[in-house]
Amino acid sequence: MHRQRVLARTLGLATAVALAATACGSQKTENTGSASTAPSASAAVTTPESSPSSDDKPAGDPSASPSASASSASPSASPSSSASSPSASPSVKAVMANGDDSEQVRELQARLKQLKLMSVAPTGFYGSKTTAAVKSFQSRNGLTASGSVDAETWKKIQGLTKKPTADELRPPTVNEVDAPDPRCMTGRVMCISKESRTLAWMIDGKVVSTMDVRFGSENTPTREGVFDVGWKAKEWTSTIYHTPMPYAMFFSGGQAVHYSADFAARGYSGASHGCVNVRDKAKLSKLFDDVKVGDKVVVYW
């Protein structure tokens, strides 16, 4: 009888591991129940998809990061620091344009956000969203709508805005945090919004920290619902994709919140196999230490 019980437990564990090994692959059924404690096979996928935030740095740059500050502005540009006086006027004609990456671009984006012309936080990279915002500003102010910032445009923007604060230049998330789901308002919760692509760590209705997140693709979606953290692993490697998943917190079978180097490098140009990817490793490390097995996870639109 004892040998039969041992054999049954062994077979049960093997079945759980086998199920978890496919959990972050293509999902054909939805599951909004509580989490399994089985290991995960999820990892960041490297297949590109449309980028919701085209002012992230372009894919393929291994050093790409939305908060990077290295300047790659054109040689004729005259970058200003974030402490530029609102009355300062560059002495060159072309100041900033699509493709530039600098602290001056970050300041420009913060000022455009003050003017309600940009909804995402500054990244420092001048992409299509910044170009569109500049064109809109130029059209509204009787300037040539080129989408590039010349001396006249920059002077006008500075005159209509204030010097950005440190929090405006580098807010906690690139995306604005969504209003918490009502199910996030009690207890200890990782409140994850697919609409705003953010994770808010909340305790008794108060937001403690926030971070940008990325989800699975259309073929491998991240499940929505209310779950619990089943188990945690500071160091874990996908058993299917053989890619690292540091600071993994499993909440629905093989789906987990974990750090993704691919997300950090390429932004929203990729997707996961169903897990919730985080690109800020330092923030996630702190969250990993704070979250306990049994804490709630809410994934919602």
Side-chain angles (χ1 to χ4, degrees):
M1 180 65 73
H2 176 70
R3 292 180 61 190
Q4 291 177 336
R5 286 198 298 268
V6 171
L7 179 60
R9 285 198 297 270
T10 302
L11 290 173
L13 177 59
T15 301
V17 172
L19 288 172
T22 59
C24 267
S26 299
Q27 300 294 325
K28 295 184 179 180
T29 58
E30 286 194 4
N31 177 9
T32 56
S34 60
S36 163
T37 58
S40 166
S42 171
V45 70
T46 57
T47 302
E49 65 176 12
S50 296
S51 171
S53 178
S54 52
D55 275 19
D56 276 333
K57 289 190 180 179
D61 177 0
S63 65
S65 168
S67 61
S69 60
S71 174
S72 62
S74 62
S76 61
S78 176
S80 66
S81 69
S82 59
S84 294
S85 167
S87 61
S89 176
S91 59
V92 293
K93 184 175 182 180
V95 180
M96 288 168 277
N98 198 313
D100 286 351
D101 178 16
S102 69
E103 285 301 290
Q104 188 182 27
V105 172
R106 185 181 296 277
E107 180 184 348
L108 166 67
Q109 292 167 332
R111 290 178 183 271
L112 290 170
K113 201 165 189 295
Q114 291 178 16
L115 295 168
K116 310 297 183 184
L117 293 174
M118 292 193 73
S119 59
V120 298
T123 64
F125 180 74
Y126 201 123
S128 60
K129 289 183 183 294
T130 304
T131 300
V134 170
K135 279 186 177 180
S136 179
F137 176 84
Q138 289 168 328
S139 296
R140 293 182 186 184
N141 290 274
L143 303 170
T144 301
S146 64
S148 298
V149 178
D150 57 14
E152 185 179 8
T153 299
W154 185 225
K155 182 177 180 180
K156 188 76 171 178
I157 289 174
Q158 290 176 310
L160 294 174
T161 56
K162 61 181 179 62
K163 174 184 172 183
T165 64
D167 285 343
E168 286 178 311
L169 290 169
R170 286 182 170 79
T173 60
V174 170
N175 304 311
E176 287 193 30
V177 179
D178 203 2
D181 185 279
R183 296 169 293 181
C184 299
M185 299 309 293
T186 57
R188 299 164 54 87
V189 192
M190 283 194 283
C191 194
I192 302 169
S193 169
K194 285 188 172 182
E195 178 70 23
S196 65
R197 304 186 300 279
T198 57
L199 181 157
W201 169 233
M202 301 180 65
I203 298 179
D204 296 330
K206 181 181 178 181
V207 176
V208 178
S209 64
T210 59
M211 56 202 75
D212 296 312
V213 293
R214 185 179 72 172
F215 304 100
S217 66
E218 182 178 353
N219 294 327
T220 58
T222 303
R223 291 186 284 272
E224 299 154 29
V226 180
F227 312 91
D228 295 321
V229 176
W231 68 292
K232 300 165 52 179
K234 187 173 183 179
E235 298 293 338
W236 185 258
T237 300
S238 165
T239 58
I240 283 185
Y241 307 107
H242 310 295
T243 50
M245 298 167 53
Y247 303 106
M249 294 172 278
F250 297 90
F251 62 87
S252 178
Q255 295 194 349
V257 174
H258 70 84
Y259 172 73
S260 167
D262 180 73
F263 184 25
R266 301 199 301 149
Y268 291 100
S269 294
S272 76
H273 285 96
C275 286
V276 179
N277 291 165
V278 179
R279 60 181 166 191
D280 191 323
K281 196 171 187 178
K283 278 189 177 182
L284 186 60
S285 172
K286 176 64 167 61
L287 178 63
F288 183 88
D289 291 339
D290 291 345
V291 170
K292 301 175 182 177
V293 170
D295 284 346
K296 189 162 56 174
V297 180
V298 177
V299 183
Y300 67 101
W301 274 103

